[in-house]
C-alpha cells in the first residue's frame, strides 16, 4: 500500500482545507439528523456520529456510510479508506470487524485532512506571503504581524504529515496515528500557540492595512480572485492554524470513541487528546489575554469613584458582562406607580471576581457608587409580579463597598437579558436543566447548524456540528448551553441549532463525552463547572 505526500496532494488538487472542513462538518450534521429521526442509534449509518468528510447524500433511503477522505478529482465525491483500490483488492475488508473498519476510517480521515490543511497553508505562503507586489507594499514589521510564524507552522505540518504518511505506508491496515499526534503535540505544536496568540494584532493590522493602504487592498482583492483560492478570502487562510488545532482535537476524540476500551490504543488516544487540549487551551488563553488587557485599561479610564477607589486592572481579572439595567426606587410594593418613576438607570461592570455598580455621567464616564466581590453576590427572580415588574430580579451584595449587606431590585429589558445577568452574577445558581457534570442519563441537547460568533463576553461562539447540553432557555429565543467536547458555557440564539430529540442519541453523546474525558475525572468536573464567565 503505497501513498506518498505528493500523491496525497495530487488527490486533493480540487479541495482546500476550508472546503474540506466545511464538507466534513455538514456531513456530520446530516448524519446526526438521520440518527435523530430513527428509533435506534444502531439503525443509523455505520459511521454513527462520526465527523466525516463528505457531501450529504440526496436520498434519505441510502444506507451507505458517510464518505470521507481524499478526492480523486475536483468533481468526485470523497472516498472512504475502504473504497481505495488497494484496500478492496486486498481482501482485508472480509477479515476486519465493522468496528475496526470505522476506526480505520477515523484514522485515515486525520491523515487526509492534514494533507488538505498543508495544501492550504502552502497556498497562504506561496500565493500571498511571497507575492512580490505585496512584499513591496508591506513594511517588514507589518508583514511580520500579518503572517506571524506561519512558516514555522507550515514546517511543523509538513513534518507531521510525513510521519503520518510513513505510518500509512507501513501496513495496509493502519496500526495507530495517535502516538504520532502525541509526539508532535508535545515536541512541535507550541508554534500554534505563538501564531494564535498573535490573532488580535493580526486582525487589527489587516483591518488597518485595508483602510490605510489602497494598494494593499487592491493586491489582496486580485489575489483572492485567482482560481487557486476557490473563491475563499485571504482572512480564511490566516485563521487556518487556529481552526486546525481545534479540529485535530476533535478528530482524535473521534478516534477515541472507536478504539477498544482499556486497550493500548485507547491509552495512546487519551494521551494525545490531553496534550492537544493543553495546546488548544493555551491558544485560547493567548487570544483572550491580548484583548482583555486592552479592554481593562479602557474601562479603568472611564470609571470615577464616588466610593473608595478599587484598582480595576489586574492580570487575573477580566470582563464578563457590562450593560444597563433599571434600578427600582422606593418600596417593593409600589406597583401602582408608573414604571418611569419606579425605576432609574444604572450601569454594571461585572468582572470574573468583582462587580462594580455605576451611573453613567456625561463624557462617556461612569460614576461608581457600590461594589462587591463576585463570590458574595446572590440573585433571586421575581415571578408573577405584573407587567411593570416583568423581568425583574433581586441582586443581593452580602458585603458591599461599605462592608454591609445591600439589595437592589433590577429590571432587565427582556427575559433573556434578565437570565443572562442572573447566571453571570451567580454562576453556581441552579439552571433550568441539568448540567453535563451531573452524569444524569438525559438532558436536552442541540447541535449547531449555523456558525455563530459571540457578540458579548457571556456568549459562546459555535462551530458547525457542535453538540451542546441545553442548561437554560428563554421565551425570546436564547439558549444557555454547555458544549460537550470542551465544556465551555455561554449563550447563543436558539435559531443557530436544532434540538436532538432522540433520547438514545443524547445518551450516546454523553457516554462518548464521559469516555473522552475519563483520563482525568476530577479535571473533567472542574472543567464542567468552569465558565468563561
Amino acid at each position: 500500500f503505497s501513498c506518498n505526500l505528493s500523491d496525497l496532494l495530487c488527490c486533493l488538487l480540487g479541495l482546500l482545507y476550508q472546503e474540506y472542513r466545511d464538507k466534513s462538518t455538514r456531513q456530520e450534521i446530516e448524519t446526526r439528523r438521520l440518527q435523530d429521526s430513527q428509533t435506534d442509534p444502531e439503525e443509523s449509518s455505520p459511521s454513527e456520529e462520526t465527523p466525516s468528510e463528505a457531501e450529504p447524500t440526496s436520498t434519505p433511503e441510502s444506507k451507505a456510510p458517510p464518505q470521507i477522505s481524499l478526492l480523486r478529482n475536483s468533481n468526485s465525491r470523497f472516498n472512504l479508506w475502504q473504497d481505495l483500490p488497494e484496500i478492496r483488492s486486498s481482501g482485508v475488508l472480509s477479515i476486519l470487524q465493522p468496528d475496526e473498519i470505522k476506526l480505520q476510517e477515523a484514522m485515515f480521515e486525520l491523515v487526509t485532512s492534514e494533507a488538505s490543511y498543508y495544501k492550504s497553508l502552502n497556498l497562504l505562503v506561496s500565493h500571498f506571503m511571497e507575492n512580490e507586489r505585496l512584499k513591496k507594499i508591506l513594511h517588514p514589521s507589518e508583514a511580520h504581524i500579518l503572517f506571524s510564524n506561519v512558516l514555522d507552522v507550515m514546517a511543523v505540518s509538513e513534518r507531521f504529515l510525513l510521519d503520518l504518511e510513513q505510518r500509512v505506508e507501513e501496513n495496509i491496515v493502519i496500526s495507530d496515528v495517535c502516538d504520532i499526534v502525541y509526539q508532535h503535540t508535545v515536541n512541535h505544536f507550541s508554534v500554534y500557540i505563538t501564531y494564535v496568540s498573535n490573532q488580535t494584532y493580526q486582525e487589527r493590522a489587516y483591518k488597518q492595512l485595508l483602510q490605510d493602504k489602497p494598494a494593499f487592498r487592491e493586491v489582496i482583492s486580485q489575489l483572492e480572485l485567482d482560481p487557486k483560492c476557490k473563491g475563499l478570502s485571504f482572512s480564511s487562510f490566516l485563521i487556518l492554524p487556529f481552526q486546525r488545532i481545534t479540529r485535530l482535537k476533535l478528530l482524535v476524540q473521534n478516534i477515541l470513541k472507536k478504539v477498544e476500551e482499556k486497550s493500548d490504543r485507547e491509552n495512546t488516544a487519551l494521551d494525545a487528546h490531553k496534550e492537544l487540549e493543553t495546546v488548544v487551551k493555551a491558544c485560547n488563553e493567548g487570544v483572550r489575554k491580548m484583548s482583555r488587557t486592552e479592554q481593562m485599561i479602557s474601562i479603568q479610564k472611564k470609571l470615577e469613584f464616588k466610593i473608595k477607589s478599587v484598582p480595576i486592572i489586574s492580570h487575573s481579572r477580566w470582563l464578563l458582562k457590562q450593560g444597563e439595567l433599571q434600578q427600582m426606587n422606593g418600596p417593593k410594593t409600589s406597583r401602582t406607580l408608573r414604571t418611569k418613576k419606579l425605576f432609574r438607570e444604572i450601569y454594571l461592570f461585572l468582572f470574573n471576581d468583582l462587580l462594580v455598580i455605576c451611573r453613567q455621567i456625561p463624557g462617556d464616564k461612569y460614576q461608581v457608587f457600590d461594589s462587591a466581590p463576585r463570590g458574595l453576590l446572590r440573585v433571586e427572580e421575581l415571578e408573577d409580579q405584573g407587567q411593570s415588574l416583568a423581568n425583574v430580579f433581586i441582586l443581593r451584595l452580602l458585603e458591599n463597598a461599605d462592608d454591609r449587606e445591600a439589595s437592589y431590585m433590577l429590571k432587565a429589558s427582556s427575559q433573556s437579558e434578565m437570565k443572562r445577568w442572573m447566571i453571570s452574577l451567580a454562576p453556581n445558581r441552579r439552571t433550568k436543566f441539568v448540567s453535563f457534570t451531573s452524569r444524569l442519563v438525559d438532558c436536552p441537547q442541540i447541535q449547531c447548524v449555523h456558525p455563530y460568533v459571540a457578540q458579548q463576553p457571556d456568549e459562546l461562539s459555535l462551530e458547525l456540528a457542535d453538540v451542546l447540553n441545553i442548561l437554560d432557555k428563554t421565551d425570546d429565543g436564547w439558549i444557555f448551553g454547555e458544549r460537550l467536547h470542551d465544556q465551555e458555557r455561554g449563550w447563543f440564539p436558539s435559531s443557530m441549532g436544532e434540538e436532538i430529540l432522540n433520547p438514545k442519541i443524547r445518551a450516546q453523546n454523553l457516554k462518548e463525552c464521559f469516555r473522552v474525558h475519563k483520563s482525568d475525572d476530577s479535571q473533567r468536573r472542574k472543567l464542567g463547572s468552569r465558565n468563561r464567565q
Side-chain angles (χ1 to χ4, degrees):
F1 184 30
S2 177
C3 183
N4 58 44
L5 178 60
S6 60
D7 289 338
L8 282 172
L9 295 180
C10 285
C11 288
L12 286 162
L13 276 176
L15 201 65
L16 294 173
Y17 183 69
Q18 296 96 313
E19 301 170 292
Y20 192 100
R21 182 171 174 271
D22 184 61
K23 287 176 182 289
S24 165
T25 51
R26 292 193 182 281
Q27 176 58 33
E28 188 176 351
I29 289 169
E30 291 303 317
T31 301
R32 211 174 271 125
R33 281 172 174 163
L34 177 62
Q35 291 176 327
D36 200 31
S37 66
Q38 295 172 335
T39 305
D40 191 331
E42 295 302 319
E43 295 176 9
S44 61
S45 68
S47 66
E48 297 176 346
E49 78 301 324
T50 308
S52 53
E53 310 292 356
E55 296 175 304
T57 54
S58 58
T59 53
E61 67 274 15
S62 172
K63 295 297 181 182
Q67 300 206 6
I68 62 176
S69 310
L70 304 178
L71 281 184
R72 290 307 183 183
N73 59 63
S74 59
N75 298 315
S76 69
R77 299 165 67 92
F78 288 107
N79 285 297
L80 289 159
W81 168 83
Q82 61 191 293
D83 287 338
L84 295 174
E86 297 90 340
I87 301 300
R88 287 204 169 280
S89 63
S90 70
V92 72
L93 294 176
S94 62
I95 302 171
L96 296 179
Q97 294 295 317
D99 286 347
E100 179 62 33
I101 293 175
K102 294 175 191 174
L103 177 58
Q104 291 294 312
E105 301 291 8
M107 292 190 290
F108 192 55
E109 179 184 9
L110 189 146
V111 179
T112 55
S113 63
E114 188 66 28
S116 179
Y117 167 63
Y118 177 77
K119 173 185 172 65
S120 288
L121 276 183
N122 192 51
L123 188 58
L124 171 61
V125 171
S126 62
H127 187 61
F128 290 99
M129 181 179 173
E130 294 179 349
N131 180 269
E132 291 301 324
R133 290 177 62 196
L134 207 56
K135 282 183 179 180
K136 291 177 182 178
I137 294 169
L138 293 176
H139 186 275
S141 63
E142 294 172 330
H144 177 69
I145 294 174
L146 202 56
F147 295 102
S148 189
N149 64 328
V150 70
L151 291 176
D152 295 335
V153 173
M154 190 169 76
V156 163
S157 175
E158 182 176 17
R159 189 185 300 122
F160 181 42
L161 183 56
L162 286 168
D163 284 352
L164 291 171
E165 171 208 7
Q166 184 177 350
R167 177 61 56 83
V168 171
E169 289 178 344
E170 287 176 1
N171 196 306
I172 197 166
V173 177
I174 306 168
S175 58
D176 199 0
V177 294
C178 288
D179 57 329
I180 298 174
V181 174
Y182 173 82
Q183 291 295 334
H184 281 262
T185 305
V186 170
N187 297 319
H188 306 299
F189 282 5
S190 60
V191 297
Y192 281 95
I193 301 172
T194 303
Y195 186 93
V196 175
S197 296
N198 181 57
Q199 186 176 317
T200 300
Y201 298 119
Q202 183 188 65
E203 290 174 353
R204 184 181 304 157
Y206 180 49
K207 289 178 182 176
Q208 200 68 42
L209 285 167
L210 288 174
Q211 181 179 322
D212 297 345
K213 293 191 174 184
F216 172 81
R217 188 168 61 245
E218 181 184 348
V219 171
I220 289 295
S221 296
Q222 289 176 356
L223 292 174
E224 287 176 336
L225 290 173
D226 192 295
K228 294 177 187 175
C229 294
K230 306 295 291 290
L232 295 165
S233 68
F234 174 53
S235 57
S236 78
F237 287 90
L238 289 177
I239 203 172
L240 283 170
F242 186 38
Q243 291 179 331
R244 180 56 183 171
I245 196 67
T246 306
R247 182 66 176 168
L248 196 56
K249 188 187 83 167
L250 297 181
L251 291 171
V252 170
Q253 282 188 9
N254 189 37
I255 293 171
L256 182 52
K257 295 170 185 176
K258 292 172 172 52
V259 294
E260 319 81 33
E261 293 199 47
K262 299 181 180 179
S263 65
D264 289 341
R265 289 198 292 192
E266 183 188 51
N267 291 332
T268 306
L270 285 168
D271 289 343
H273 181 266
K274 183 178 179 181
E275 293 301 326
L276 279 169
E277 200 162 49
T278 300
V279 172
V280 171
K281 285 179 189 173
C283 287
N284 286 329
E285 285 306 309
V287 173
R288 290 170 186 166
K289 186 176 180 181
M290 297 292 186
S291 57
R292 283 171 177 171
T293 301
E294 295 183 353
Q295 187 178 47
M296 295 301 290
I297 293 171
S298 174
I299 292 172
Q300 173 80 66
K301 292 177 179 178
K302 295 179 179 181
L303 299 182
E304 294 183 1
F305 285 82
K306 187 177 180 180
I307 56 173
K308 183 180 177 182
S309 179
V310 177
I312 296 297
I313 299 174
S314 167
H315 290 298
S316 59
R317 178 174 294 152
W318 61 88
L319 183 71
L320 298 182
K321 190 170 178 61
Q322 69 179 80
E324 187 177 271
L325 290 168
Q326 304 291 318
Q327 178 193 359
M328 177 180 179
N329 292 316
K332 299 179 183 179
T333 54
S334 303
R335 300 183 196 171
T336 56
L337 297 178
R338 292 182 180 179
T339 303
K340 63 180 180 180
K341 293 182 179 179
L342 191 58
F343 295 96
R344 64 180 297 187
E345 296 173 355
I346 65 169
Y347 201 93
L348 272 56
F349 289 95
L350 178 65
F351 304 100
N352 61 307
D353 62 346
L354 176 71
L355 171 67
V356 174
I357 306 177
C358 322
R359 287 193 176 90
Q360 192 163 7
I361 56 178
D364 194 25
K365 298 280 187 178
Y366 299 88
Q367 187 178 68
V368 180
F369 65 88
D370 209 350
S371 66
R374 187 182 180 216
L376 297 180
L377 304 177
R378 300 293 184 268
V379 294
E380 176 188 347
E381 183 177 354
L382 294 184
E383 297 180 358
D384 301 324
Q385 297 293 322
Q387 186 59 40
S388 65
L389 294 182
N391 307 319
V392 171
F393 66 98
I394 304 294
L395 169 62
R396 286 197 299 131
L397 283 55
L398 300 184
E399 186 178 302
N400 73 348
D402 296 326
D403 297 325
R404 61 181 177 81
E405 184 171 327
S407 291
Y408 294 89
M409 181 177 279
L410 303 175
K411 180 179 177 67
S413 59
S414 65
Q415 185 194 47
S416 59
E417 190 64 11
M418 178 189 70
K419 286 198 172 187
R420 286 171 67 164
W421 270 112
M422 292 178 71
I423 287 176
S424 294
L425 289 162
N428 295 323
R429 180 176 174 271
R430 184 178 176 86
T431 53
K432 183 175 181 179
F433 301 109
V434 179
S435 167
F436 164 85
T437 52
S438 68
R439 285 183 173 271
L440 288 195
V441 176
D442 201 11
C443 174
Q445 288 178 5
I446 192 169
Q447 77 160 331
C448 172
V449 295
H450 303 290
Y452 180 69
V453 178
Q455 305 298 310
Q456 301 292 334
D458 65 337
E459 294 179 11
L460 184 63
S461 291
L462 300 178
E463 298 275 357
L464 283 173
D466 278 350
V467 177
L468 305 97
N469 274 350
I470 299 173
L471 303 184
D472 211 334
K473 58 169 63 173
T474 69
D475 296 336
D476 53 350
W478 285 84
I479 288 175
F480 182 56
E482 181 176 69
R483 187 163 46 216
L484 293 191
H485 77 74
D486 61 5
Q487 287 79 65
E488 288 280 355
R489 291 181 175 189
W491 290 90
F492 55 91
S494 57
S495 57
M496 296 298 106
E498 294 176 350
E499 195 159 343
I500 297 173
L501 302 176
N502 190 324
K504 292 187 177 181
I505 298 300
R506 294 196 297 266
Q508 178 179 292
N509 290 339
L510 280 181
K511 179 182 177 183
E512 290 171 346
C513 201
F514 289 138
R515 185 181 180 191
V516 165
H517 294 282
K518 75 176 183 179
S519 59
D520 191 343
D521 193 65
S522 63
Q523 179 68 13
R524 180 190 58 75
R525 287 196 297 270
K526 185 189 296 183
L527 285 171
S529 62
R530 177 177 60 79
N531 189 330
R532 278 191 310 164
Q533 304 173 5

